[in-house]
């Protein structure tokens, strides 16, 4: 039976916001429309907004509320606190009418009949102006968990009603131009998911830093979700790529293990149950809080929720979702879904880039939020009573932030916290305010003092850094929406997966060179052969460090395969479905030796630049097992993760016979050229590659000119030698002649040919020369891409070539060699 005061979730939908608030309307929508699709939501009911209004009218509270709030200046923090306290007292003291109590009691009895006598409840505020596309109200109102009795339920409902007038909620409404008395409070009552005995967290169906829309971003930690939301723990992070998930591929794109230092649980105190934090055992900190299969289950639910809400809205609607795993029944539940209100509202077609123009002393580092840079004097806040000392333009430095701190966060130039992940309160508000935040620093409040002049940089990848001093920086806002695309494909060189989503926003035709060396050096850190044969590492401390890195894996080698595959897959996903050409490892022996455990597997060479590198290693007994791991990782990216836009490239292949051996080894490891569309390119960086280009073209699908090594070997100049650096010049006529022969030879054999060396990035005249020769693609550094685009358009205009149409630009072929053959 439906009443004005109680509505079950199954009777509600997204159009019922005015009746039950955004949160309850969304829960009802998911129960009613998505339950049959596997989106699991705890059942429950809503105490309606009419019930809230009924309580105020029956108790005569409205005139007293007006008296408490009329004339309020929210900038006067002390006055705001006094008036808000008075408003809450007025509402909390209002007696719930008997007929309302009877309806709540009947609904409670029905919920208990469904879940059993052991039922406990989550009681959550749901305001009628909450979870709107333009005002999220995240964390503004109160929630009460694990409520076990009818008496406790009635008290929690009264306190939820009163929380409509929390300090932060009042200030937020004023800032967003919302009349206090046009907002009503509904309350959701649902089965409590016992995540205190398991894990919980937050999901976004968009990358929160860049606005990249093709990923599901999941964060989680042990215990109740409040720690993740408020940023009191460093959570685990997972990415799932939506396009391949929809194609049926079951793989996590990328993950990062968080510290999860504490877990929030329930405790008995003074006859009632409250929450408190306990230290997380070391073994739980060292493992992920959910399994891969659970990550994928959450991603499935997220995609269904986003697709459903997008259809309802008539446009793409990225979502902000709360989840929890019940430690009693072991099931995953969706607790809330609302529109994401920051990343999805970024202006399309505009890319902001930030660059530090000087170096400084590093004070502290953590996780970067946003891509901006800011400077200012630090203000360390150790206690909420110190907030009134905060001055506009200062950098807020704190252990963590709370929803009550909105007024201060609004005037801060940046935020730095000891604790928290990229979905914590500080991160969410910083994004909303458009300021950089570095969270999860560990000991920022000790490393930085009030009054210190500092620079907060989130423009250097996923690691946010705080430097001493006010360092100069440059911000550029680039309108890329109307930029024409040249006939010559312009691709990017990239090594760091952390920058892939941001780089992919630039106008590009894919990745012409993805270097796996960065992933190995920065994310894996260990020599692949040391992971295959850790017993051959003679230093006990090094063996111990390898064991620590690989402790969660059945074999140390599995660590290499997963880390490398997820790093490459992140780059491939960012540019999908455009081609991403991944060069197999091209460390020199001295570089390999510097990796963890490397010195036991590498020879000491006088000139590593022309020594045991590239293709010569792959089938050699000294490295064949390491190459097998590289191949296993690339096979996983293509076959298990579904990123078939990845093409592989062989570096420094000296002889045709060497190329044949490498291709045979790859086939042995499950990477057969032509199977599942696999294309294998070769670097053209040795004069023999040019001289025998017709023969190399029979083995490989395309060529990429490595102008640095080609210059080295044409001119006989050691790239590592400062003494003869004056003789190193890619513009030398001999080098240019080699490039000409390469382009003509590739086209003669209907093979794709591009360049991924530094020359076109450094020298406009080389870029012009390449365009005039009709090269298929140039791959350049991201910071030079836009300038080179303009330069190439100008050269093509002189040659009478029209820019590509919008249709041509949006359908960049994933098979570049096929495109090259069709153009020839």
């Amino acid at each position: 039976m439906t009443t004005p005061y109680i509505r079950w979730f199954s009777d509600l939908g997204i159009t019922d916001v005015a009746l039950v608030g955004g949160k309850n309307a969304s829960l009802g929508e998911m129960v009613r429309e998505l339950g049959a699709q596997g989106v699991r939501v705890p059942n429950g009911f809503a105490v309606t907004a009419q019930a809230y209004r009924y309580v105020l009218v029956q108790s005569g509270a409205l005139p007293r509320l007006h008296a408490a709030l009329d004339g309020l200046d929210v900038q006067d923090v002390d006055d705001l606190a006094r008036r808000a306290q008075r408003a809450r007292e007025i509402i909390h003291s209002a007696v719930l009418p008997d007929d309302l109590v009877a309806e709540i009691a009947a609904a409670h009895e029905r919920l208990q009949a469904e879940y059993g006598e052991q039922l406990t409840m989550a009681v959550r505020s749901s305001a009628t102006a909450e979870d709107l596309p333009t005002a999220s109200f995240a964390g503004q109102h109160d929630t009460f968990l694990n409520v076990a009795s009818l008496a406790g339920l009635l008290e929690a409902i009264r306190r939820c009603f009163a929380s409509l007038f929390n300090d932060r909620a009042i200030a937020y409404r004023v800032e967003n131009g919302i009349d206090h008395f046009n907002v009503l409070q509904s309350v959701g009552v649902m089965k409590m998911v016992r995540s205190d005995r398991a894990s919980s967290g937050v999901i976004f169906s968009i990358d929160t830093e860049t606005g990249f829309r093709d990923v599901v971003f999941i964060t989680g930690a042990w215990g109740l979700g409040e720690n993740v939301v408020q940023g009191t723990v460093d959570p685990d992070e997972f990415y799932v790529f939506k396009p391949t998930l929809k194609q049926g591929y079951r793989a996590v794109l990328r993950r990062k293990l968080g510290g999860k230092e504490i877990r929030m649980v329930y405790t008995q105190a003074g006859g009632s149950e409250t929450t408190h934090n306990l230290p997380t055992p070391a073994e739980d900190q060292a493992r992920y809080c959910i399994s891969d299969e659970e990550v994928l289950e959450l991603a499935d639910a997220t995609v269904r929720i986003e697709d459903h809400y997008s259809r309802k809205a008539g446009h793409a609607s990225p979502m902000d979702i709360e989840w929890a795993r019940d430690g009693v029944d072991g099931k995953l539940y969706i607790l809330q879904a609302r529109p994401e209100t920051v990343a999805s509202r970024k202006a399309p077609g505009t890319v902001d880039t930030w660059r530090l123009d000087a170096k400084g002393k590093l004070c502290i580092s953590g996780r970067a939020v946003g891509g901006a840079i800011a400077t200012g004097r630090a203000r360390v806040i150790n206690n909420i009573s110190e907030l009134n000392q905060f001055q506009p333009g200062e950098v807020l430095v704190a252990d963590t932030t709370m929803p009550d701190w909105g007024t201060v966060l609004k005037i801060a130039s940046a935020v730095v916290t000891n604790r928290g992940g990229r979905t914590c309160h500080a991160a969410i508000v910083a994004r909303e305010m458009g300021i950089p935040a570095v969270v999860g620093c560990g000991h920022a409040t000790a490393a930085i003092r009030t009054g210190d002049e500092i620079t907060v940089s989130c423009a250097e990848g996923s690691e946010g850094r705080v430097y001493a001093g006010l360092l100069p920086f440059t911000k550029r806002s680039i309108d890329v929406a109307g930029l024409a695309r040249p006939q010559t494909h312009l691709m990017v060189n990239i090594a760091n997966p952390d920058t892939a989503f941001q780089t992919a926003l630039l106008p590009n035709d894919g990745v012409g060179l993805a270097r796996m060396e960065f992933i190995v050096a920065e994310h894996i850190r260990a020599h692949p052969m040391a992971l295959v044969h850790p017993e051959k590492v003679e230093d006990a401390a090094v063996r111990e460090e390898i064991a620590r890195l690989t402790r969660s894996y059945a074999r140390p080698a599995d660590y290499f395969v997963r880390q490398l595959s997820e790093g490459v897959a992140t780059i491939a996903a960012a540019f999908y479905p455009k081609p991403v050409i991944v060069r197999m490892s091209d460390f020199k022996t001295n570089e390999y030796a510097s990796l963890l455990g490397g010195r036991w597997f590498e020879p000491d060479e006088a000139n590593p630049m022309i020594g045991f590198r590239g293709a010569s290693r792959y089938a050699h007994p000294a490295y064949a097992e390491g190459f097998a791991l590289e191949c296993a990782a690339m096979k996983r990216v293509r076959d298990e993760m579904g990123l078939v836009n990845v093409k592989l490239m062989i570096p420094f292949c000296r002889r045709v016979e060497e190329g044949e051996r490498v291709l045979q080894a790859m086939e042995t490891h499950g990477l057969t050229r032509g199977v599942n569309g696999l294309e294998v390119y070769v670097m053209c960086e040795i004069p023999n590659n040019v001289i025998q280009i017709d023969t190399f073209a029979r083995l490989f699908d395309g060529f990429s000119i490595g102008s640095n090594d080609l210059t080295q070997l044409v001119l006989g100049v050691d790239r590592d030698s400062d003494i003869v650096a004056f003789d190193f010049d890619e513009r030398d006529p001999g080098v240019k002649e080699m490039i000409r022969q390469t382009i003509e030879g590739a086209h003669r054999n209907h093979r794709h040919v591009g360049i991924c060396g530094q020359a076109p990035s450094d020298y406009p005249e080389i870029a012009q020369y390449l365009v005039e020769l009709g090269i298929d693609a140039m791959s350049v550094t991201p910071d030079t891409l836009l300038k080179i685009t303009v330069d190439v358009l100008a050269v093509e205009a002189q040659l009478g070539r029209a820019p590509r149409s919008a249709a041509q630009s949006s359908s960049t072929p994933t098979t570049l060699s096929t495109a090259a053959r069709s153009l020839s």
Side-chain angles (χ1 to χ4, degrees), residues 579 647 677 679 681 812-821:
K647 306 176 188 310
E679 293 188 356
Y681 290 8
T812 301
T814 58
T815 307
L816 284 175
S817 56
T818 300
R821 287 191 289 272

Side-chain angles (χ1 to χ4, degrees), residues 426-442:
I428 291 171
V429 175
R431 289 189 200 100
E432 193 169 321
M433 299 297 180
I435 59 175
V438 181
V439 300
C441 295

Side-chain angles (χ1 to χ4, degrees), residues 350-366:
T350 300
V351 176
D352 290 337
T353 62
W354 305 72
R355 185 189 69 215
L356 273 177
D357 295 329
K359 295 182 178 180
K361 178 185 175 183
L362 182 66
C363 298
I364 198 82
S365 63

Side-chain angles (χ1 to χ4, degrees), residues 465-739:
R465 295 168 181 167
V466 181
Y467 298 99
L470 305 179
L471 303 181
F473 62 88
T474 301
K475 176 189 177 184
R476 293 179 64 203
S477 293
I478 307 162
D479 181 9
V480 299
L483 187 64
R485 305 292 299 131
Q487 292 290 336
T488 307
H489 284 180
L490 294 181
M491 309 172 83
V492 292
N493 298 337
I494 191 169
N496 186 355
D498 295 340
T499 64
F501 294 161
Q502 183 67 37
T503 303
L505 298 176
L506 297 170
N508 69 82
D509 294 305
V511 176
L513 174 61
R515 299 181 182 92
M516 66 169 60
E517 293 85 22
F518 180 92
I519 301 170
V520 174
E522 298 296 324
H523 294 270
I524 297 173
R525 296 179 46 219
H527 193 290
M529 292 299 292
L531 296 172
V532 176
H533 293 291
E535 74 282 357
K536 294 184 179 180
V537 175
E538 297 175 8
D539 187 312
V542 174
R543 287 199 306 272
E544 185 177 335
E545 178 62 10
I546 290 173
R548 188 192 67 79
L549 286 173
T550 62
R551 63 184 179 272
S552 301
Y553 298 83
R555 302 179 307 145
D558 296 339
Y559 162 77
F560 182 94
V561 172
R562 195 175 80 176
Q563 290 291 104
L564 180 57
S565 63
E566 292 185 1
V568 168
T570 299
I571 296 172
F575 292 86
Y576 185 90
K578 298 172 185 176
V580 172
I581 302 171
V582 178
R583 187 178 68 189
M584 305 303 279
S585 68
D586 194 25
F587 281 119
K588 287 64 173 180
T589 50
N590 56 329
E591 296 167 335
Y592 262 124
S594 68
L595 296 173
L596 197 65
R599 58 194 173 96
W600 286 276
F601 298 94
E602 295 297 329
D604 184 15
E605 292 187 295
N607 193 340
M609 189 61 76
I610 55 172
F612 189 41
R613 60 174 288 201
S616 63
R617 301 179 67 94
Y618 300 158
H620 194 284
Y623 188 72
E625 291 171 294
F627 184 62
L629 298 187
E630 294 183 29
C631 290
M634 296 305 97
K635 180 175 170 58
R636 181 171 186 258
V637 169
R638 289 180 48 84
D639 295 354
E640 297 178 31
M641 304 177 85
L643 291 157
V644 293
N645 59 322
V646 164
K647 306 176 188 310
L648 301 179
M649 184 157 65
I650 306 303
F652 221 74
C653 186
R654 294 180 171 98
R655 301 171 64 241
V656 171
E657 293 81 4
E658 193 167 64
E660 291 171 341
R661 286 197 299 272
V662 169
L663 290 173
Q664 185 176 0
M666 293 175 69
E667 186 171 344
T668 301
H669 300 312
L671 292 171
T672 302
R673 179 180 165 224
V675 174
N676 195 22
L678 175 62
E679 293 188 356
V680 183
Y681 290 8
V682 66
M683 292 287 293
C684 188
E685 53 193 346
I686 298 169
N688 197 36
N689 301 143
V690 183
I691 295 167
Q692 295 202 75
I693 195 164
D694 296 320
T695 308
F696 276 103
R698 290 199 290 270
L699 294 181
F700 296 100
D701 297 289
F703 298 89
S704 185
I705 300 167
S707 58
N708 295 342
D709 273 324
L710 188 60
T711 301
Q712 171 179 243
L713 295 173
V714 169
L715 301 181
V717 177
D718 182 357
R719 287 169 53 196
D720 280 348
S721 172
D722 293 334
I723 301 174
V724 293
F726 61 86
D727 265 336
F728 187 91
D729 191 341
E730 296 100 316
R731 297 167 295 182
D732 185 271
V735 178
K736 291 172 68 176
E737 174 61 17
M738 281 289 184
I739 291 173

